[in-house]
PDB file of all heavy atoms in Angstrom:
ATOM      1  N   ARG A1720     122.518-175.432  72.497  1.00 62.00           N
ATOM      2  CA  ARG A1720     121.246-175.230  73.188  1.00 62.00           C
ATOM      3  C   ARG A1720     120.327-176.437  73.008  1.00 62.00           C
ATOM      4  O   ARG A1720     119.662-176.871  73.945  1.00 62.00           O
ATOM      5  CB  ARG A1720     120.545-173.969  72.670  1.00 62.00           C
ATOM      6  CG  ARG A1720     121.160-172.687  73.170  1.00 62.00           C
ATOM      7  CD  ARG A1720     120.418-171.474  72.664  1.00 62.00           C
ATOM      8  NE  ARG A1720     119.073-171.385  73.206  1.00 62.00           N
ATOM      9  CZ  ARG A1720     118.274-170.329  73.037  1.00 62.00           C
ATOM     10  NH1 ARG A1720     118.700-169.291  72.345  1.00 62.00           N
ATOM     11  NH2 ARG A1720     117.059-170.317  73.553  1.00 62.00           N
ATOM     12  N   LYS A1721     120.313-176.990  71.807  1.00 62.00           N
ATOM     13  CA  LYS A1721     119.480-178.171  71.556  1.00 62.00           C
ATOM     14  C   LYS A1721     119.942-179.340  72.410  1.00 62.00           C
ATOM     15  O   LYS A1721     119.139-180.100  72.960  1.00 62.00           O
ATOM     16  CB  LYS A1721     119.511-178.537  70.075  1.00 62.00           C
ATOM     17  CG  LYS A1721     118.714-177.577  69.192  1.00 62.00           C
ATOM     18  CD  LYS A1721     118.796-177.983  67.730  1.00 62.00           C
ATOM     19  CE  LYS A1721     118.007-177.016  66.854  1.00 62.00           C
ATOM     20  NZ  LYS A1721     118.104-177.358  65.414  1.00 62.00           N
ATOM     21  N   GLY A1722     121.259-179.489  72.524  1.00 59.00           N
ATOM     22  CA  GLY A1722     121.800-180.558  73.349  1.00 59.00           C
ATOM     23  C   GLY A1722     121.402-180.392  74.810  1.00 59.00           C
ATOM     24  O   GLY A1722     120.993-181.350  75.464  1.00 59.00           O
ATOM     25  N   TYR A1723     121.490-179.173  75.302  1.00 62.00           N
ATOM     26  CA  TYR A1723     121.110-178.914  76.687  1.00 62.00           C
ATOM     27  C   TYR A1723     119.607-179.031  76.879  1.00 62.00           C
ATOM     28  O   TYR A1723     119.139-179.398  77.951  1.00 62.00           O
ATOM     29  CB  TYR A1723     121.607-177.538  77.129  1.00 62.00           C
ATOM     30  CG  TYR A1723     123.003-177.588  77.686  1.00 62.00           C
ATOM     31  CD1 TYR A1723     124.100-177.344  76.872  1.00 62.00           C
ATOM     32  CD2 TYR A1723     123.236-177.912  79.014  1.00 62.00           C
ATOM     33  CE1 TYR A1723     125.388-177.396  77.366  1.00 62.00           C
ATOM     34  CE2 TYR A1723     124.523-177.976  79.526  1.00 62.00           C
ATOM     35  CZ  TYR A1723     125.596-177.717  78.697  1.00 62.00           C
ATOM     36  OH  TYR A1723     126.871-177.791  79.194  1.00 62.00           O
ATOM     37  N   ALA A1724     118.835-178.693  75.856  1.00 64.00           N
ATOM     38  CA  ALA A1724     117.375-178.826  75.941  1.00 64.00           C
ATOM     39  C   ALA A1724     117.004-180.291  76.176  1.00 64.00           C
ATOM     40  O   ALA A1724     116.136-180.608  76.990  1.00 64.00           O
ATOM     41  CB  ALA A1724     116.714-178.303  74.673  1.00 64.00           C
ATOM     42  N   LYS A1725     117.673-181.195  75.458  1.00 61.00           N
ATOM     43  CA  LYS A1725     117.430-182.625  75.672  1.00 61.00           C
ATOM     44  C   LYS A1725     117.810-183.031  77.099  1.00 61.00           C
ATOM     45  O   LYS A1725     117.123-183.818  77.744  1.00 61.00           O
ATOM     46  CB  LYS A1725     118.246-183.446  74.657  1.00 61.00           C
ATOM     47  CG  LYS A1725     117.768-183.285  73.216  1.00 61.00           C
ATOM     48  CD  LYS A1725     118.655-184.083  72.275  1.00 61.00           C
ATOM     49  CE  LYS A1725     118.208-183.901  70.824  1.00 61.00           C
ATOM     50  NZ  LYS A1725     119.090-184.634  69.882  1.00 61.00           N
ATOM     51  N   TYR A1726     118.904-182.450  77.570  1.00 58.00           N
ATOM     52  CA  TYR A1726     119.354-182.734  78.936  1.00 58.00           C
ATOM     53  C   TYR A1726     118.320-182.274  79.954  1.00 58.00           C
ATOM     54  O   TYR A1726     117.995-182.983  80.909  1.00 58.00           O
ATOM     55  CB  TYR A1726     120.708-182.047  79.171  1.00 58.00           C
ATOM     56  CG  TYR A1726     121.073-181.853  80.626  1.00 58.00           C
ATOM     57  CD1 TYR A1726     121.477-182.933  81.416  1.00 58.00           C
ATOM     58  CD2 TYR A1726     121.039-180.586  81.209  1.00 58.00           C
ATOM     59  CE1 TYR A1726     121.827-182.747  82.749  1.00 58.00           C
ATOM     60  CE2 TYR A1726     121.379-180.396  82.529  1.00 58.00           C
ATOM     61  CZ  TYR A1726     121.770-181.478  83.287  1.00 58.00           C
ATOM     62  OH  TYR A1726     122.106-181.297  84.595  1.00 58.00           O
ATOM     63  N   VAL A1727     117.782-181.053  79.751  1.00 61.00           N
ATOM     64  CA  VAL A1727     116.789-180.494  80.670  1.00 61.00           C
ATOM     65  C   VAL A1727     115.526-181.344  80.673  1.00 61.00           C
ATOM     66  O   VAL A1727     114.937-181.630  81.727  1.00 61.00           O
ATOM     67  CB  VAL A1727     116.460-179.034  80.291  1.00 61.00           C
ATOM     68  CG1 VAL A1727     115.237-178.542  81.059  1.00 61.00           C
ATOM     69  CG2 VAL A1727     117.654-178.131  80.579  1.00 61.00           C
ATOM     70  N   ILE A1728     115.078-181.774  79.479  1.00 62.00           N
ATOM     71  CA  ILE A1728     113.884-182.618  79.374  1.00 62.00           C
ATOM     72  C   ILE A1728     114.101-183.945  80.099  1.00 62.00           C
ATOM     73  O   ILE A1728     113.245-184.415  80.860  1.00 62.00           O
ATOM     74  CB  ILE A1728     113.521-182.868  77.897  1.00 62.00           C
ATOM     75  CG1 ILE A1728     113.037-181.557  77.259  1.00 62.00           C
ATOM     76  CG2 ILE A1728     112.441-183.941  77.775  1.00 62.00           C
ATOM     77  CD1 ILE A1728     112.905-181.636  75.758  1.00 62.00           C
ATOM     78  N   ALA A1729     115.267-184.541  79.871  1.00 58.00           N
ATOM     79  CA  ALA A1729     115.581-185.814  80.526  1.00 58.00           C
ATOM     80  C   ALA A1729     115.618-185.656  82.038  1.00 58.00           C
ATOM     81  O   ALA A1729     115.123-186.509  82.785  1.00 58.00           O
ATOM     82  CB  ALA A1729     116.921-186.346  80.012  1.00 58.00           C
ATOM     83  N   ARG A1730     116.184-184.551  82.500  1.00 61.00           N
ATOM     84  CA  ARG A1730     116.256-184.297  83.939  1.00 61.00           C
ATOM     85  C   ARG A1730     114.853-184.124  84.527  1.00 61.00           C
ATOM     86  O   ARG A1730     114.554-184.608  85.618  1.00 61.00           O
ATOM     87  CB  ARG A1730     117.103-183.058  84.218  1.00 61.00           C
ATOM     88  CG  ARG A1730     117.359-182.820  85.700  1.00 61.00           C
ATOM     89  CD  ARG A1730     118.365-181.720  85.936  1.00 61.00           C
ATOM     90  NE  ARG A1730     117.870-180.434  85.491  1.00 61.00           N
ATOM     91  CZ  ARG A1730     118.527-179.290  85.672  1.00 61.00           C
ATOM     92  NH1 ARG A1730     119.714-179.308  86.262  1.00 61.00           N
ATOM     93  NH2 ARG A1730     118.032-178.151  85.252  1.00 61.00           N
ATOM     94  N   GLY A1731     113.983-183.427  83.777  1.00 61.00           N
ATOM     95  CA  GLY A1731     112.605-183.232  84.219  1.00 61.00           C
ATOM     96  C   GLY A1731     111.852-184.542  84.320  1.00 61.00           C
ATOM     97  O   GLY A1731     111.122-184.785  85.290  1.00 61.00           O
ATOM     98  N   LEU A1732     112.037-185.401  83.325  1.00 59.00           N
ATOM     99  CA  LEU A1732     111.374-186.710  83.346  1.00 59.00           C
ATOM    100  C   LEU A1732     111.867-187.557  84.516  1.00 59.00           C
ATOM    101  O   LEU A1732     111.095-188.284  85.147  1.00 59.00           O
ATOM    102  CB  LEU A1732     111.629-187.442  82.020  1.00 59.00           C
ATOM    103  CG  LEU A1732     110.921-186.858  80.792  1.00 59.00           C
ATOM    104  CD1 LEU A1732     111.412-187.554  79.528  1.00 59.00           C
ATOM    105  CD2 LEU A1732     109.403-186.987  80.929  1.00 59.00           C
ATOM    106  N   LYS A1733     113.148-187.449  84.804  1.00 58.00           N
ATOM    107  CA  LYS A1733     113.720-188.192  85.924  1.00 58.00           C
ATOM    108  C   LYS A1733     113.091-187.758  87.240  1.00 58.00           C
ATOM    109  O   LYS A1733     112.778-188.568  88.114  1.00 58.00           O
ATOM    110  CB  LYS A1733     115.236-187.978  85.964  1.00 58.00           C
ATOM    111  CG  LYS A1733     115.950-188.821  87.014  1.00 58.00           C
ATOM    112  CD  LYS A1733     117.457-188.618  86.933  1.00 58.00           C
ATOM    113  CE  LYS A1733     118.176-189.447  87.979  1.00 58.00           C
ATOM    114  NZ  LYS A1733     119.643-189.243  87.924  1.00 58.00           N
ATOM    115  N   LYS A1734     112.867-186.429  87.387  1.00 64.00           N
ATOM    116  CA  LYS A1734     112.260-185.899  88.610  1.00 64.00           C
ATOM    117  C   LYS A1734     110.816-186.416  88.746  1.00 64.00           C
ATOM    118  O   LYS A1734     110.378-186.758  89.838  1.00 64.00           O
ATOM    119  CB  LYS A1734     112.265-184.382  88.583  1.00 64.00           C
ATOM    120  CG  LYS A1734     113.635-183.745  88.797  1.00 64.00           C
ATOM    121  CD  LYS A1734     113.530-182.231  88.774  1.00 64.00           C
ATOM    122  CE  LYS A1734     114.881-181.591  89.000  1.00 64.00           C
ATOM    123  NZ  LYS A1734     114.816-180.102  88.943  1.00 64.00           N
ATOM    124  N   ILE A1735     110.093-186.450  87.612  1.00 60.00           N
ATOM    125  CA  ILE A1735     108.709-186.912  87.629  1.00 60.00           C
ATOM    126  C   ILE A1735     108.640-188.380  88.048  1.00 60.00           C
ATOM    127  O   ILE A1735     107.808-188.771  88.886  1.00 60.00           O
ATOM    128  CB  ILE A1735     108.063-186.717  86.248  1.00 60.00           C
ATOM    129  CG1 ILE A1735     107.889-185.227  85.953  1.00 60.00           C
ATOM    130  CG2 ILE A1735     106.695-187.416  86.173  1.00 60.00           C
ATOM    131  CD1 ILE A1735     107.460-184.918  84.531  1.00 60.00           C
ATOM    132  N   ARG A1736     109.525-189.208  87.459  1.00 61.00           N
ATOM    133  CA  ARG A1736     109.536-190.627  87.800  1.00 61.00           C
ATOM    134  C   ARG A1736     109.868-190.833  89.279  1.00 61.00           C
ATOM    135  O   ARG A1736     109.289-191.671  89.966  1.00 61.00           O
ATOM    136  CB  ARG A1736     110.570-191.359  86.940  1.00 61.00           C
ATOM    137  CG  ARG A1736     110.209-191.399  85.456  1.00 61.00           C
ATOM    138  CD  ARG A1736     111.129-192.348  84.715  1.00 61.00           C
ATOM    139  NE  ARG A1736     110.978-192.230  83.282  1.00 61.00           N
ATOM    140  CZ  ARG A1736     111.830-191.553  82.514  1.00 61.00           C
ATOM    141  NH1 ARG A1736     112.900-190.958  83.052  1.00 61.00           N
ATOM    142  NH2 ARG A1736     111.642-191.479  81.211  1.00 61.00           N
ATOM    143  N   ALA A1737     110.843-190.026  89.775  1.00 64.00           N
ATOM    144  CA  ALA A1737     111.248-190.154  91.186  1.00 64.00           C
ATOM    145  C   ALA A1737     110.084-189.777  92.112  1.00 64.00           C
ATOM    146  O   ALA A1737     109.864-190.404  93.161  1.00 64.00           O
ATOM    147  CB  ALA A1737     112.439-189.261  91.457  1.00 64.00           C
ATOM    148  N   LYS A1738     109.317-188.753  91.711  1.00 64.00           N
ATOM    149  CA  LYS A1738     108.177-188.312  92.512  1.00 64.00           C
ATOM    150  C   LYS A1738     107.080-189.379  92.540  1.00 64.00           C
ATOM    151  O   LYS A1738     106.450-189.632  93.577  1.00 64.00           O
ATOM    152  CB  LYS A1738     107.624-187.010  91.943  1.00 64.00           C
ATOM    153  CG  LYS A1738     106.570-186.355  92.813  1.00 64.00           C
ATOM    154  CD  LYS A1738     106.170-185.008  92.258  1.00 64.00           C
ATOM    155  CE  LYS A1738     105.151-184.341  93.159  1.00 64.00           C
ATOM    156  NZ  LYS A1738     104.737-183.006  92.626  1.00 64.00           N
ATOM    157  N   LYS A1739     106.851-190.032  91.392  1.00 60.00           N
ATOM    158  CA  LYS A1739     105.822-191.064  91.320  1.00 60.00           C
ATOM    159  C   LYS A1739     106.199-192.285  92.142  1.00 60.00           C
ATOM    160  O   LYS A1739     105.339-192.954  92.733  1.00 60.00           O
ATOM    161  CB  LYS A1739     105.606-191.478  89.854  1.00 60.00           C
ATOM    162  CG  LYS A1739     104.839-190.441  89.042  1.00 60.00           C
ATOM    163  CD  LYS A1739     104.615-190.926  87.613  1.00 60.00           C
ATOM    164  CE  LYS A1739     103.784-189.925  86.811  1.00 60.00           C
ATOM    165  NZ  LYS A1739     103.572-190.394  85.416  1.00 60.00           N
TER     166      LYS A1739
END
Side-chain angles (χ1 to χ4, degrees):
R1720 285 181 66 172
K1721 287 179 180 178
Y1723 272 94
K1725 292 178 181 178
Y1726 160 74
V1727 169
I1728 291 169
R1730 187 171 65 175
L1732 290 172
K1733 186 176 180 181
K1734 287 181 179 178
I1735 291 171
R1736 293 191 190 101
K1738 189 174 182 180
K1739 286 182 177 180

